[in-house]
């Protein structure tokens, strides 16, 4: 079995799909597997091939999905690609095999298990991306707004796009503590994603300790609007799960 591995970003994932497909045309689709790095457990019976991102190959995959299947299918795949679900790249690959064979109709065929799985995975990622708009908190550090966040899925770029649309004239950075990466928005410019070394990340962790003039005011406001007689922690956890609160100002 040839195992194609790649980093957890859309360009690398689409490049991995491109190279894996090219290999499969000669050796068969059942002779390959796709995995995100890091690969937690290597098998002595498999051969591993790391794939670096290639923008040209990635663009070809994106264009093929949109033309031969549909834009809706591409959007589902783009969300699913950012999932932490084990085996999600294989699910995407199998979905593409079916989609290139049947075309746009596959997106609505709920009798196909692989279609249902793609919908479930993409919906999970999309929901978390939506929640991040409400749960990201910023501290002002040296003229820039900095936020720390630990999403389950790799969705900080989607969160960054939301805040870039609403704060185009601000410098801000949303740091994914789990993956040691950040989406960065310079004032009046576009977004870009940056991966950090261990040393850089340790320095950036200190920014969470900074307190601006609004930190205490926000906590006071959070306590002031609460109605003690209607406190319902079970309901609160349903709307705001505990794992999301680690970097949220009012719970620190």
């Amino acid at each position: 079995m040839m195992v194609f591995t790649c980093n957890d970003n859309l360009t690398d994932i689409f490049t991995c799909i491109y190279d894996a497909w090219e290999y499969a045309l000669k050796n068969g689709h059942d002779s390959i597997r796709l995995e995100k790095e890091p690969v937690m457990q290597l098998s002595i019976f498999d051969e591993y091939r790391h794939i670096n991102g290639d923008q040209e190959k990635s663009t070809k995959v994106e264009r093929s999905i949109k033309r031969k299947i549909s834009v809706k299918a591409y959007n589902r795949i783009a969300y699913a690609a950012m999932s932490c679900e084990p085996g999600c790249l294989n699910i995407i690959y199998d979905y593409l095999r079916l989609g290139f064979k049947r075309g746009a109709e596959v997106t609505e065929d709920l009798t196909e298990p692989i279609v249902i799985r793609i919908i479930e995975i993409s919906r999970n990622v999309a929901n978390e991306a939506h929640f991040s708009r409400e749960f990201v908190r910023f501290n002002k550090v040296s003229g820039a707004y900095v936020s720390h966040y630990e999403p389950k899925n790799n969705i900080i770029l989607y969160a960054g796009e939301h805040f870039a649309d609403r704060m185009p004239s601000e410098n801000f950075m949303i740091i994914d503590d789990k993956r040691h990466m950040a989406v960065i928005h310079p004032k009046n410019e576009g977004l870009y994603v940056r991966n950090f070394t261990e040393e850089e990340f340790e320095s950036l962790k200190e920014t969470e300790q900074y307190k601006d003039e609004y930190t205490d005011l926000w906590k006071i406001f959070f306590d002031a609007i609460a109605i003690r007689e209607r406190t319902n922690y079970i309901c609160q956890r349903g709307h705001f799960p505990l794992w999301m609160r680690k970097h949220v100002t009012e719970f620190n």
Side-chain angles (χ1 to χ4, degrees), residues 79-92:
Y79 273 116
M82 298 296 100
S83 173
C84 64
E85 180 88 13
C88 69
L89 294 194
N90 282 318
I91 294 171
I92 291 171

Side-chain angles (χ1 to χ4, degrees), residues 84-141:
C84 64
E85 180 88 13
C88 69
L89 294 194
N90 282 318
I91 294 171
I92 291 171
Y93 189 87
D94 290 341
Y95 179 75
L96 288 175
R97 288 178 62 187
L98 184 65
F100 287 144
K101 185 183 298 184
R102 294 181 52 188
E105 69 174 40
V106 75
T107 58
E108 306 301 331
D109 188 356
L110 300 183
T111 64
E112 288 285 352
I114 197 69
V115 175
I116 295 174
R117 287 294 291 129
I118 280 287
I119 292 174
E120 290 173 345
I121 293 171
S122 63
R123 184 179 295 160
N124 177 269
V125 176
N127 286 343
E128 187 177 16
H130 174 74
F131 290 147
S132 69
R133 304 172 185 179
E134 304 174 26
F135 301 148
V136 167
R137 301 288 185 265
F138 290 97
N139 286 331
K140 194 168 186 179
V141 182

Side-chain angles (χ1 to χ4, degrees), residues 10 14 65 73-82 92 95-96 118:
L10 202 57
F14 279 179
I65 295 170
Y74 170 78
N75 291 333
R76 283 179 179 171
I77 290 168
Y79 273 116
M82 298 296 100
I92 291 171
Y95 179 75
L96 288 175
I118 280 287

Side-chain angles (χ1 to χ4, degrees), residues 48-59:
Y48 292 83
R49 182 179 296 179
H50 169 75
I51 304 299
N52 291 313
D54 182 300
Q55 189 59 56
E56 184 178 352
K57 291 180 179 179
S58 176
T59 301

Side-chain angles (χ1 to χ4, degrees), residues 166-182:
R166 284 151 180 78
M167 304 191 302
S169 299
E170 300 290 349
N171 297 308
F172 71 79
M173 176 167 56
I174 302 175
I175 302 171
D176 185 337
D177 285 23
K178 182 178 179 180
R179 296 172 179 82
H180 293 190
M181 61 188 294

Side-chain angles (χ1 to χ4, degrees), residues 36-237:
K36 290 183 182 180
E37 295 179 358
V39 179
M40 304 309 295
Q41 187 170 356
L42 299 176
S43 170
I44 61 173
F45 302 106
D46 296 328
E47 182 181 348
Y48 292 83
R49 182 179 296 179
H50 169 75
I51 304 299
N52 291 313
D54 182 300
Q55 189 59 56
E56 184 178 352
K57 291 180 179 179
S58 176
T59 301
K60 287 180 179 179
V61 173
E62 177 182 342
R63 186 168 58 239
S64 295
I65 295 170
K66 289 179 178 178
R67 287 180 178 177
K68 296 180 180 180
I69 309 178
S70 68
V71 173
K72 185 175 183 178
Y74 170 78
N75 291 333
R76 283 179 179 171
I77 290 168
Y79 273 116
M82 298 296 100
S83 173
C84 64
E85 180 88 13
C88 69
L89 294 194
N90 282 318
I91 294 171
I92 291 171
Y93 189 87
D94 290 341
Y95 179 75
L96 288 175
R97 288 178 62 187
L98 184 65
F100 287 144
K101 185 183 298 184
R102 294 181 52 188
E105 69 174 40
V106 75
T107 58
E108 306 301 331
D109 188 356
L110 300 183
T111 64
E112 288 285 352
I114 197 69
V115 175
I116 295 174
R117 287 294 291 129
I118 280 287
I119 292 174
E120 290 173 345
I121 293 171
S122 63
R123 184 179 295 160
N124 177 269
V125 176
N127 286 343
E128 187 177 16
H130 174 74
F131 290 147
S132 69
R133 304 172 185 179
E134 304 174 26
F135 301 148
V136 167
R137 301 288 185 265
F138 290 97
N139 286 331
K140 194 168 186 179
V141 182
S142 301
Y145 292 94
V146 180
S147 173
H148 288 261
Y149 189 42
E150 291 188 45
K152 290 183 178 179
N153 303 298
N154 187 7
I155 50 87
I156 60 167
L157 182 58
Y158 296 117
E161 290 172 346
H162 171 80
F163 288 103
D165 183 54
R166 284 151 180 78
M167 304 191 302
S169 299
E170 300 290 349
N171 297 308
F172 71 79
M173 176 167 56
I174 302 175
I175 302 171
D176 185 337
D177 285 23
K178 182 178 179 180
R179 296 172 179 82
H180 293 190
M181 61 188 294
V183 59
I184 301 172
H185 178 266
K187 181 179 179 180
N188 296 323
E189 296 182 23
L191 289 169
Y192 66 92
V193 176
R194 167 76 188 278
N195 291 295
F196 299 117
T197 64
E198 196 66 35
E199 184 178 350
E200 289 173 329
F201 178 70
E202 287 301 319
S203 297
L204 285 168
K205 282 177 66 175
E206 297 177 5
T207 60
E208 196 167 18
Q209 307 306 317
Y210 283 72
K211 305 298 180 186
D212 59 32
E213 61 269 28
Y214 296 104
T215 301
D216 290 336
L217 287 175
W218 175 247
K219 289 184 177 182
I220 292 170
F221 171 76
F222 179 76
D223 290 333
I225 64 171
I227 302 174
R228 302 297 178 186
E229 292 77 13
R230 296 186 180 180
T231 299
N232 187 334
Y233 292 113
I234 295 176
C235 180
Q236 186 185 61
R237 286 195 295 270

